[in-house]
Amino acid sequence: MADFSQTRSLFKIPDGVIYLDGNSLGALPLAVPARVTGMIEAEWGHELIRGWNSAGWMVQPRRVGDRIARLIGAAPGTVVMGDTLSIKVYQALAAALSLNPGRRVILSDSGNFPSDLYMAQGLVRMLGDRATLKVVEPEAVEAAIDDSVAVLMLTEVDYRTGRMHDMKALTKKAHDAGALAVWDLAHSAGAVPVDLAGADADFAVGCTYKYLNGGPGAPAFIYVAPRHADVAPPVLSGWMGHEAPFAFDLDYRPGGGIERMRIGTPPIIALAALDAALDAWDGVSMQEVRKASIALSELFIAEVEKRCPSLTLASPRDASRRGSQVSFRHPDGYAIMRALIARGVIGDFRAPDALRFGFTPLYIGEAEVRGAVDILEEVLANRLWDKPEYRQKELVT
């Protein structure tokens, strides 16, 4: 059984802060600074370029990928790190389309993260009449899967409301219709139990700076099902995905298995930070995390609805259909969130009117939830948010 009081001791949370934004940027694991400093001084500083061999930098993307694989229900050797999530979306989507050449339609939903849709739109523009993007409401996805669909591309947990798709059921529906399924796990990895192998997903991608606490801009990951690993075309054919990168051939030959999904030189310093952050997950099961996050979010919803009647629940009420975040709506949501942040309760805002709160049991407990609602109630009851400075939009919301 996971001891979350112990895992909380592994993170730096500033005094006077209740941090409910780990669904956007995870808290700093205390092990990260020493690990990164050691990597810089002992590996880069002493080994210099020899570190690619002596310190194992070259295999770091695959080794760290295997650590994440455990948390998303994937077999060793099926996940590799590198680049940003948007790049990995493009890579997975283009590969999936190439594996289903007789069809043109990419099916997604309006709850998808906009960057995923932007990447799909860019790919469609490049392919011309060989591909088209169809976007439907989340509730209409299942009915829209038919024999015209080449690829189903969805984010499992909606970034605004936490609404969660049924990955296994929708993947099966896609396969039954002859389509492939690409899943974005940005709000799933480290938040909810994921079983990519059990769901028979074709491709999956995700970021590591949210629930996995890898730090701002931490590298993303890509998963490829073993049945596709040696045939999926690496559309972004960078030198690290070459069969023999240091042969320096002028023509590209894809590497074997998941290695072909590597693109450029890996960010070793960022990977060192992520590797240290993942230590907090040792001995922790996703089932225990899920049970705790549901308890925290249910407590939060009950207390907010009892004490803050001007807020309207935007997330699914059924916890089984919700990820590890809760959103409430209010016409002045942005100003309210700014007022909360000024008082040490850090959540975030998503347009047009959603106050968003994340629940990460590794470092958030019942006391923090109750304390956050106390401050939220005070801010609303006394209209403490109704000030010009709280209405002024910042660059990042």
Side-chain angles (χ1 to χ4, degrees), residues 2 11 48 163 210 225 355 362 388:
F11 290 85
L48 298 168
R163 174 202 42 78
K210 300 185 192 319
L355 295 95
L362 266 63

Side-chain angles (χ1 to χ4, degrees), residues 18 37 46 103 231 238 278 285 309 319-320 354:
I18 299 174
T37 299
H46 184 267
R103 299 189 181 187
V231 294
L278 291 172
S285 79
S320 69

Side-chain angles (χ1 to χ4, degrees), residues 139-211:
E139 297 76 16
V141 168
E142 184 174 2
I145 300 172
D146 58 27
D147 60 9
S148 71
V149 176
V151 182
L152 175 66
M153 181 189 72
L154 296 173
T155 296
E156 185 184 24
V157 175
D158 187 304
Y159 76 101
R160 291 168 300 188
T161 67
R163 174 202 42 78
M164 189 159 58
H165 278 306
D166 187 332
M167 179 189 293
K168 187 171 184 177
L170 290 176
T171 299
K172 184 179 186 305
K173 181 74 181 289
H175 288 171
D176 288 347
L180 279 72
V182 174
W183 289 93
D184 183 337
L185 306 180
H187 289 272
S188 303
V192 299
V194 179
D195 185 5
L196 291 175
D200 204 25
D202 297 289
F203 296 86
V205 296
C207 59
T208 61
Y209 49 79
K210 300 185 192 319
Y211 295 95

Side-chain angles (χ1 to χ4, degrees), residues 47-288:
E47 292 299 293
L48 298 168
I49 200 168
R50 295 173 296 183
W52 287 104
N53 292 313
S54 62
W57 296 346
M58 191 65 174
V59 299
Q60 193 84 322
R62 178 81 167 267
R63 189 182 68 77
V64 175
D66 281 346
R67 297 193 73 185
I68 289 174
R70 179 184 77 83
L71 301 175
I72 57 175
T78 61
V79 176
V80 74
M81 310 302 304
D83 320 294
T84 68
L85 179 53
S86 293
I87 295 297
K88 290 306 178 195
V89 168
Y90 189 95
Q91 195 177 17
L93 181 57
L97 272 176
S98 297
L99 291 174
N100 209 354
R103 299 189 181 187
R104 302 174 58 247
V105 176
I106 301 165
L107 176 63
S108 191
D109 72 17
S110 57
N112 208 341
F113 190 66
S115 186
D116 291 24
L117 298 178
Y118 302 161
M119 298 308 287
Q121 290 164 5
L123 180 59
V124 166
R125 283 194 299 270
M126 186 186 72
L127 293 175
D129 62 3
R130 289 178 290 165
T132 184
L133 175 63
K134 180 178 181 180
V135 178
V136 300
E137 292 297 312
E139 297 76 16
V141 168
E142 184 174 2
I145 300 172
D146 58 27
D147 60 9
S148 71
V149 176
V151 182
L152 175 66
M153 181 189 72
L154 296 173
T155 296
E156 185 184 24
V157 175
D158 187 304
Y159 76 101
R160 291 168 300 188
T161 67
R163 174 202 42 78
M164 189 159 58
H165 278 306
D166 187 332
M167 179 189 293
K168 187 171 184 177
L170 290 176
T171 299
K172 184 179 186 305
K173 181 74 181 289
H175 288 171
D176 288 347
L180 279 72
V182 174
W183 289 93
D184 183 337
L185 306 180
H187 289 272
S188 303
V192 299
V194 179
D195 185 5
L196 291 175
D200 204 25
D202 297 289
F203 296 86
V205 296
C207 59
T208 61
Y209 49 79
K210 300 185 192 319
Y211 295 95
L212 298 179
N213 311 300
F221 63 84
I222 185 168
Y223 162 85
V224 181
R227 62 183 175 277
H228 300 311
D230 288 313
V231 294
V235 178
L236 297 174
S237 46
W239 77 301
M240 282 289 170
H242 193 282
E243 183 181 49
F246 289 91
F248 297 111
D249 293 338
L250 297 184
D251 293 317
Y252 182 83
R253 301 193 313 273
I258 195 65
E259 288 292 314
R260 66 179 54 200
M261 292 299 164
R262 294 177 65 168
I263 302 174
T265 305
I268 298 302
I269 297 173
L271 282 170
L274 174 59
D275 194 27
L278 291 172
D279 289 348
W281 292 93
D282 291 345
V284 176
S285 79
M286 285 309 308
Q287 287 70 27
E288 292 170 333

